[in-house]
């Protein structure tokens, strides 16, 4: 069993449901694969270098931040096996383009400690994301067999129970590498979270070091703010904005109406 999902936060501001089953009986109870114990993880995180980017058009919401998948860039596509509803399926990120927003989050390993608190928290509130046309995808470097065994483990025993969204297997570590969250010498992913819009563009990204869990509330709030400004391109959302609250005009004169009401 792996050691804890691990320390210090580095934050980067940044549907389809195919069921291509493999010929394996998903209902069979599986013994969890043991992971090589790793201690003294290198918890340092070196910020990505970002080249200067062109001005962001309020209407296009697309910039070319760099060659890396930072905010404003099209998310790198991937196709991989996943576990959903105790079945093995194929998930392809580009299948969601034109259909749904996507919350794509990475976590270090199955059968650990912080990870199940995040995964189950997103699952318990999946309906709130589904209501605003958003799918959630969890990703780790574990195999689909490990994912399945964890789903088949009761929550009171450190398992996940049934989830309302797929867990993707990145056993080759290629997805984690594409999204810039892989710790190469440890072979696990940092806690990266990406909000991808319906055009396939990354509009938000956070990366936490391994010991620090993420907030479902803040993820949902940020998603709602993104959807609002995309639907209302002449308005922007101030700090902590939630649906129904006052927005502002990005204009030296018109913004005074917002500040005068504070």
């Amino acid at each position: 069993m792996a050691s804890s999902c691990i320390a210090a936060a580095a934050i980067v501001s940044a549907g389809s449901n195919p069921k291509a089953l493999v010929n394996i009986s998903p209902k069979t109870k599986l013994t969890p694969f043991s992971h090589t114990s790793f201690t003294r993880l290198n918890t340092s995180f070196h910020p990505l270098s970002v080249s200067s980017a062109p001005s962001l058009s309020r209407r296009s919401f697309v910039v070319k931040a760099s060659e890396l998948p930072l905010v404003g860039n099209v998310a790198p596509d991937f196709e991989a096996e996943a576990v959903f509803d105790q079945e093995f399926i194929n998930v392809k990120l580009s299948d969601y383009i034109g259909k749904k927003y996507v919350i794509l989050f990475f976590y270090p390993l199955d059968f650990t400690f912080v990870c199940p608190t995040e995964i189950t928290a997103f699952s318990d509130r999946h309906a709130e994301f589904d209501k605003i046309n958003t799918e959630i995808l969890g990703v780790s470097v574990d195999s689909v067999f490990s994912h399945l065994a964890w789903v088949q483990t009761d929550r009171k025993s450190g398992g996940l129970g049934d989830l309302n969204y797929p867990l993707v297997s990145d056993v080759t570590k290629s997805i984690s590498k594409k999204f810039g969250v892989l710790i190469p010498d440890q072979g696990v992913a940092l806690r990266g979270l990406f909000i991808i819009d319906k055009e396939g563009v990354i509009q938000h990204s956070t990366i936490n070091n391994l010991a620090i869990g993420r907030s479902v509330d803040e993820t949902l709030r940020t998603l709602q703010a993104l959807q609002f400004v995309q639907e209302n391109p002449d308005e922007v959302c101030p700090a902590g904005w939630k649906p129904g609250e006052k927005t502002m005009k990005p204009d030296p004169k018109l913004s005074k109406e917002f500040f005068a009401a504070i």
Side-chain angles (χ1 to χ4, degrees):
M1 185 176 294
S3 64
S4 71
C5 297
I6 321 159
I11 300 214
V12 180
S13 268
S16 64
N17 181 24
K19 290 198 173 185
L21 305 184
V22 298
N23 294 324
I24 299 171
S25 173
K27 301 299 181 180
T28 303
K29 292 288 182 178
L30 298 175
T31 301
F33 284 171
S34 62
H35 298 281
T36 302
S37 176
F38 51 95
T39 57
R40 296 186 182 181
L41 285 177
N42 178 6
T43 56
S44 63
F45 175 68
H46 303 287
L48 300 172
S49 61
V50 182
S51 60
S52 32
S55 299
L56 172 64
S57 164
R58 291 203 309 269
R59 297 187 181 278
S60 70
F61 289 91
V62 176
V63 297
K64 189 64 179 174
S66 75
E67 293 181 358
L68 297 172
L70 300 178
V71 165
N73 289 355
V74 174
D77 195 17
F78 64 82
E79 184 171 6
E81 284 188 287
V83 172
F84 178 64
D85 196 24
Q86 299 202 28
E87 295 180 344
F88 298 107
I89 68 171
N90 287 329
V91 169
K92 187 174 183 180
L93 184 61
S94 58
D95 284 345
Y96 296 96
I97 292 179
K99 301 173 184 176
K100 285 181 176 287
Y101 288 78
V102 174
I103 303 295
L104 179 70
F105 75 93
F106 294 82
Y107 64 93
L109 287 171
D110 293 350
F111 293 99
T112 48
F113 310 107
V114 175
C115 300
T117 67
E118 295 184 307
I119 295 167
T120 56
F122 275 108
S123 182
D124 291 346
R125 298 182 61 183
H126 182 268
E128 296 176 61
F129 289 89
D130 185 59
K131 186 177 180 180
I132 54 176
N133 197 32
T134 302
E135 184 56 277
I136 301 171
L137 298 174
V139 184
S140 81
V141 298
D142 301 275
S143 71
V144 286
F145 306 107
S146 179
H147 285 344
L148 180 59
W150 205 16
V151 167
Q152 291 179 337
T153 302
D154 185 80
R155 288 190 182 187
K156 291 184 178 180
S157 300
L160 302 177
D162 286 330
L163 296 177
N164 293 311
Y165 59 86
L167 286 186
V168 177
S169 170
D170 182 25
V171 71
T172 65
K173 302 178 177 60
S174 60
I175 305 172
S176 301
K177 186 175 181 180
K178 286 179 180 179
F179 280 83
V181 296
L182 182 67
I183 306 175
D185 59 341
Q186 303 300 336
V188 299
L190 293 161
R191 296 186 189 280
L193 184 147
F194 301 84
I195 299 180
I196 303 168
D197 69 15
K198 289 196 296 182
E199 302 307 312
V201 176
I202 298 172
Q203 297 292 353
H204 170 81
S205 172
T206 64
I207 301 176
N208 288 7
N209 219 327
L210 303 178
I212 304 167
R214 291 155 290 194
S215 168
V216 177
D217 285 334
E218 179 59 16
T219 301
L220 181 61
R221 188 201 70 79
T222 304
L223 171 64
Q224 291 168 328
L226 164 63
Q227 291 183 342
F228 181 88
V229 297
Q230 286 194 327
E231 293 168 2
N232 301 273
D234 294 325
E235 299 181 55
V236 293
C237 295
W241 179 90
K242 294 180 180 179
E245 295 180 352
K246 191 173 181 62
T247 57
M248 66 168 71
K249 301 287 186 181
D251 179 87
K253 293 183 179 179
L254 296 178
S255 62
K256 291 181 179 179
E257 180 183 346
F258 173 86
F259 292 113
I262 296 177

